[in-house]
């Protein structure tokens, strides 16, 4: 999963928006398709998915959130905190998981322009190897390295 919204993500985001901005952001978040991504389908799937057992899972979180509002600062901080929590929750779906933060990447981690595509490639390779060999994923630092990588929970 690459910087994916967690369970009830849109409603959880709306709950922390100030009333003065809520109407505008509600219109934006009410859309079911954003940048070609079917948010409603993703949320419906997330609502049904509660555990993956020991299925190999890699969660890649963007380290930058340039699209998050910067003002008021309390909102920016609350959105950052919520996003991190949702990413951690996604990682908890499987007991066989790795969670990595691509520190230089914005939301589009696989993009060669603004992301870190090598992180996505290494994650896919690790998950495929673990699934094929029916083994546990290696620890995050064995898969990912570099100044622009942080291993999550």
């Amino acid at each position: 999963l690459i910087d994916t919204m967690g369970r009830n993500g849109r409603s959880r985001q709306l709950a922390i928006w100030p009333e003065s901005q809520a109407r505008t952001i509600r219109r934006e978040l009410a859309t079911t398709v954003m940048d070609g991504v079917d948010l409603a389908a993703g949320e419906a799937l997330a609502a049904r998915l509660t555990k993956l057992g020991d299925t190999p899972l890699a969660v890649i979180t963007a380290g930058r959130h340039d699209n998050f509002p910067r003002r008021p600062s309390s909102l920016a901080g609350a959105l950052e905190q919520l996003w991190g929590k949702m990413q951690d929750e996604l990682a908890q779906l499987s007991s066989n998981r790795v969670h990595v933060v691509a520190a230089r990447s914005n939301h589009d981690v696989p993009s060669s322009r603004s992301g870190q595509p090598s992180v996505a490639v290494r994650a896919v390779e690790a998950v495929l190897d673990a699934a094929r060999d029916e083994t546990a994923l290696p620890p995050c630092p064995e898969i990912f390295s570099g100044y622009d990588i942080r291993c999550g929970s």
Side-chain angles (χ1 to χ4, degrees):
L1 300 172
I2 302 176
D3 209 40
T4 303
M5 191 177 297
R7 181 180 304 275
N8 301 317
R10 290 188 293 173
S11 60
R12 289 166 76 184
Q13 286 180 353
L14 281 172
I16 61 178
W17 280 88
E19 284 297 318
S20 62
Q21 298 176 343
R23 178 173 284 157
T24 303
I25 196 64
R26 280 183 197 289
R27 271 197 307 271
E28 291 175 20
L29 288 176
T31 183
T32 57
V33 178
M34 190 179 292
D35 296 327
V37 176
D38 188 337
L39 300 175
E43 285 183 339
L45 176 63
R48 292 189 311 270
L49 187 63
T50 58
K51 291 287 180 201
L52 293 173
D54 64 354
T55 302
L57 173 67
V59 174
I60 304 170
T61 301
R64 292 182 16 228
H65 299 105
D66 297 345
N67 57 329
F68 283 6
R70 296 289 156 226
R71 292 175 192 248
S73 60
S74 59
L75 174 61
L79 286 170
E80 292 274 348
Q81 186 176 10
L82 174 61
W83 196 260
K85 181 178 182 175
M86 288 192 296
Q87 298 294 293
D88 290 341
E89 290 168 358
L90 290 169
Q92 296 297 318
L93 289 172
S94 175
S95 60
N96 186 11
R97 65 182 173 268
V98 63
H99 183 188
V100 64
V101 177
R104 281 189 301 109
S105 291
N106 206 352
H107 183 66
D108 192 11
V109 176
S111 167
S112 60
R113 222 181 33 207
S114 63
Q116 293 170 262
S118 62
V119 174
V121 170
R122 285 184 291 210
V124 168
E125 290 172 342
V127 167
L128 287 174
D129 288 346
R132 186 180 310 116
D133 300 340
E134 298 181 5
T135 59
L137 283 164
C140 183
E142 289 182 24
I143 302 170
F144 307 99
S145 62
Y147 72 94
D148 53 358
I149 298 293
R150 288 190 321 269
C151 290
S153 61

